[in-house]
Amino acid sequence: MKNTTIGLIADTHNLLRPEVLSHFSNVDLIIHARDIGSPDILAQLSQLATVIAVRDNVDKGKWADSLPLTEFFEWQSKFIYVIHDLGGAQS
């Protein structure tokens, strides 16, 4: 099995710095763990790799309503749970 590289990012607040694109240029999966800011950020990241994202208080509007507060998924036979705020997951 091929090694997988995962890029983890959070709190972009609608600003995707150029160095992120450079650092994530060869990742297989990108996890955005809250405070995305706009759907444009996810669109830019999805040009690089598969994106899994969870929302938080900065993420408002119809685009954000479709994003979960937490995400549990399997990636290459590994289980990954994405959460930003344990208190938010319990409510």
Side-chain angles (χ1 to χ4, degrees):
M1 179 184 292
K2 170 187 173 278
N3 285 337
T4 296
T5 303
I6 298 174
L8 177 62
I9 191 167
D11 298 296
T12 52
H13 294 268
N14 201 31
L15 174 64
L16 193 59
R17 299 181 187 281
E19 51 268 31
V20 171
L21 300 175
S22 173
H23 288 298
F24 285 5
S25 65
N26 292 313
V27 301
D28 302 296
L29 173 68
I30 298 171
I31 299 173
H32 197 307
R34 82 160 198 164
D35 289 339
I36 301 155
S38 84
D40 296 336
I41 299 297
L42 297 178
Q44 289 178 65
L45 291 173
S46 68
Q47 292 179 5
L48 301 173
T50 299
V51 177
I52 302 292
V54 298
R55 65 182 163 89
D56 200 38
N57 65 311
V58 167
D59 307 313
K60 306 284 185 204
K62 289 185 181 190
W63 72 272
D65 291 344
S66 65
L67 296 174
L69 289 171
T70 66
E71 185 68 67
F72 180 75
F73 64 99
E74 184 177 0
W75 181 263
Q76 296 190 356
S77 302
K78 304 291 184 215
F79 292 99
I80 300 173
Y81 184 56
V82 183
I83 185 170
H84 180 77
D85 182 358
L86 287 174
Q90 296 169 354
S91 57

